[in-house]
Amino acid sequence: MSNGTLTVRGGTLALPTGRVEGDIQIVDGKITAVGQVGDDRGDVIDATGLMVMPGAVDPQVHFRDPGLTHKEDLETGARACAAGGITSFLEMPNTRPTTTTYEAMAAKKARAAEVCVVNYNFFVGATADNLDVLNGVQNVCGIKIFMGASTGDLLVSDPEDLDRIFARGRRLIAVHAEDEARLKERKVAFADRTDPTAHPEIRDVTSAVLASTLALDLSEKYDRRLHILHLSTGDEVQLLRDRGKGGGRVTTETLPQYLLLHGPEAYEALGTKAQMNPPIRTKDHQEALWKGLHDGTIDCIATDHAPHTLDEKALPFGRAPSGIPGVETSLAVMLDAAHRGLCSVEQIVQWMSAVPARIYGMAGKGQLAVGMDGDLALVDLKKTEKVGARGYFTKVGWNPFDGQTITGWPVMTVVHGRVAFRDNEIQPGVRGQEIRIDLDAGWSRPA
Ligand code: DOR
């Protein structure tokens, strides 16, 4: 346990009810007072000129630990989170070994408890034959299904296997929705293309729509809680709208990469660094995603932090891996979007903290309120800095927004009442905790 006591004075608090000038007190890791706080307890932090937000919650990251730790590991991934204002993450199962067994899950959690500076939980990965594990493993955030192959070898694309997984259990199912048969066909058809602009043509809009439609059908058939990961197309936004989001049974997320980069320009500027699955698409899709966020069709924002080294990304198109890192900059680039009038800071608090916490039933997370966990992100809405200028905690040391000058940066991060990041440094000795998932508090129906 790594709980702390501290008093934050004089900030602008991003409360569920709106912005308030005031203080926050955290005692033994929990928020005990909000607004006007009496006597100091613990260390006192001067938040004058800063906005105090609930720590960001990133509901989709890949930290590569175990097995691919030359790209990232749980320690560096968690540090990168803290530097980016993220106090809780949910991590994906496409590690080596995959997180598809009781043993692999236990080992991952044990490692996280040792090295993670922020809070954590993990998806259990679906295979064609691990149904017992999917429903038997304790306190995980959900089941991850790769309906189309991406990085790693996790894949469940046979409709009968998918049917069996949706039919049994009640835990949330999160899908990577791309149609495997179509992806395979198109890879062959486009085999002569050597330019990364072919990436979104191969993994096209129809591939995404087909898989999302199948997932929606299965969710409806079995009344099963579904979350569609990294939504990238306007067509899927419309599909979800048309189907009333399965009567509240279905939630979804999108990513800063999709909201702030678009093809073909991103591919021309960044080459294979812009390559990810599902792909960054054209401006009309980007506009539809913003619309979907604003009208509530899209519920929240994740990063899909998927680090690959610069050497790996420098391989020619076809051999370069898909994936883009993001935890260190997601909050900053979204605050910059607010600075430019694309959304409000209050919406960012909803999309990057309150709503993901609610979707996954993350006990104690996502709000500045008495009784909640003392996880904070202190942000300077006026700070202007080039992305990359302060260096990186992620092992891969690059970012798709490198060199862009943006306004609005996290400057201090508090985890369970202890300062985890301040003055561009990770503070020693702070440890996050396993996030308790309350299945019944999860967003299984509209609030
Ligand atoms: O681009 C991607 N990279 N998409 C995924 O679904 C997986 C991820 C990775 O793990 O590299």
Side-chain angles (χ1 to χ4, degrees):
M1 285 287 161
S2 184
N3 290 335
T5 294
L6 55 80
T7 307
V8 180
R9 295 270 181 206
T12 303
L13 310 178
L15 302 186
T17 46
R19 286 185 201 199
V20 173
E21 300 299 314
D23 316 321
I24 284 215
Q25 197 157 64
I26 301 169
V27 175
D28 194 22
K30 298 265 184 216
I31 298 176
T32 52
V34 171
Q36 297 314 314
V37 169
D39 293 344
D40 289 342
R41 300 274 309 264
D43 289 341
V44 179
I45 289 167
D46 177 9
T48 309
L50 300 178
M51 179 137 212
V52 182
M53 304 173 29
V57 171
D58 190 338
Q60 191 195 169
V61 304
H62 302 264
F63 284 165
R64 314 299 194 202
D65 193 350
L68 296 158
T69 52
H70 67 285
K71 299 174 196 268
E72 197 77 283
D73 60 37
L74 283 164
E75 182 169 8
T76 56
R79 286 169 163 243
C81 283
I86 295 168
T87 52
S88 295
F89 67 80
L90 304 179
E91 205 258 357
M92 285 295 166
N94 58 336
T95 44
R96 277 191 203 149
T98 54
T99 324
T100 52
T101 62
Y102 292 108
E103 296 74 26
M105 181 61 78
K108 219 179 219 192
K109 286 188 175 178
R111 181 78 190 139
E114 271 175 42
V115 300
C116 285
V117 67
V118 299
N119 307 304
Y120 50 85
N121 209 316
F122 301 97
F123 287 88
V124 57
T127 69
D129 53 19
N130 72 341
L131 253 186
D132 288 343
V133 181
L134 297 183
N135 293 306
V137 68
Q138 295 298 301
N139 198 46
V140 299
C141 54
I143 295 167
K144 166 71 181 278
I145 306 179
F146 281 92
M147 297 174 75
S150 187
T151 303
D153 40 21
L154 276 178
L155 177 66
V156 183
S157 57
D158 181 331
E160 281 180 20
D161 292 334
L162 289 167
D163 197 280
R164 272 189 301 117
I165 296 169
F166 272 81
R168 209 174 116 198
R170 53 190 286 265
R171 183 165 269 160
L172 177 150
I173 294 177
V175 293
H176 177 122
E178 289 185 285
D179 183 78
E180 179 64 9
R182 186 171 170 95
L183 293 183
K184 267 190 167 155
E185 261 173 42
R186 295 177 73 79
K187 251 191 192 159
V188 174
F190 286 74
D192 59 334
R193 289 285 292 276
T194 56
D195 56 305
T197 49
H199 190 62
E201 294 179 56
I202 300 169
R203 305 183 82 109
D204 69 346
V205 171
T206 304
S207 308
V209 172
L210 282 173
S212 283
T213 305
L214 175 57
L216 274 165
D217 290 345
L218 288 168
S219 160
E220 194 168 298
K221 180 170 172 192
Y222 293 110
D223 192 20
R224 185 69 185 257
R225 183 71 182 82
L226 169 70
H227 183 77
I228 302 180
L229 298 158
H230 39 42
L231 207 76
S232 65
T233 74
D235 301 54
E236 289 163 288
V237 176
Q238 194 53 43
L239 173 70
L240 283 166
R241 217 178 258 134
D242 289 346
R243 295 189 47 167
K245 297 179 73 183
R249 201 187 297 110
V250 183
T251 50
T252 190
E253 69 193 24
T254 192
L255 318 176
Q257 300 90 300
Y258 300 148
L259 294 168
L260 301 169
L261 300 171
H262 60 77
E265 289 83 347
Y267 297 96
E268 284 156 14
L270 299 169
T272 54
K273 276 192 192 164
Q275 185 191 320
M276 64 170 298
N277 306 330
I280 292 169
R281 306 197 187 271
T282 47
K283 199 161 175 36
D284 50 329
H285 290 287
Q286 183 183 72
E287 282 165 3
L289 293 173
W290 273 110
K291 236 184 174 171
L293 263 175
H294 281 289
D295 73 13
T297 308
I298 299 176
D299 303 281
C300 70
I301 292 177
T303 62
D304 191 14
H305 178 86
H308 299 285
T309 66
L310 280 169
D311 284 348
E312 290 164 342
K313 282 302 227 179
L315 290 168
F317 178 65
R319 287 175 53 216
S322 289
I324 296 179
V327 289
E328 224 152 330
T329 51
S330 54
L331 184 54
V333 296
M334 290 307 297
L335 292 173
D336 182 66
H339 176 72
R340 291 186 284 127
L342 293 166
C343 59
S344 68
V345 174
E346 282 75 3
Q347 283 174 311
I348 293 173
V349 172
Q350 289 296 310
W351 296 335
M352 297 186 73
S353 201
V355 176
R358 206 166 124 225
I359 283 178
Y360 286 97
M362 297 165 71
K365 304 302 182 198
Q367 274 184 37
L368 299 185
V370 170
M372 303 296 276
D373 292 342
D375 297 338
L376 312 176
L378 276 62
V379 304
D380 182 346
L381 294 177
K382 296 206 175 83
K383 182 173 176 173
T384 299
E385 191 174 280
K386 259 194 184 155
V387 176
R390 68 181 192 185
Y392 287 114
F393 289 91
T394 172
K395 271 191 192 176
V396 296
W398 68 275
N399 189 278
F401 302 102
D402 269 333
Q404 289 189 24
T405 300
I406 63 172
T407 299
W409 284 90
V411 294
M412 194 188 298
T413 305
V414 172
V415 177
H416 283 276
R418 297 188 68 192
V419 176
F421 172 77
R422 142 199 259 170
D423 298 330
N424 279 350
E425 283 180 19
I426 300 296
Q427 305 301 300
V430 180
R431 287 291 168 268
Q433 296 172 25
E434 179 175 331
I435 300 158
R436 193 165 60 75
I437 303 294
D438 182 348
L439 194 60
D440 293 312
W443 193 337
S444 51
R445 288 289 177 274

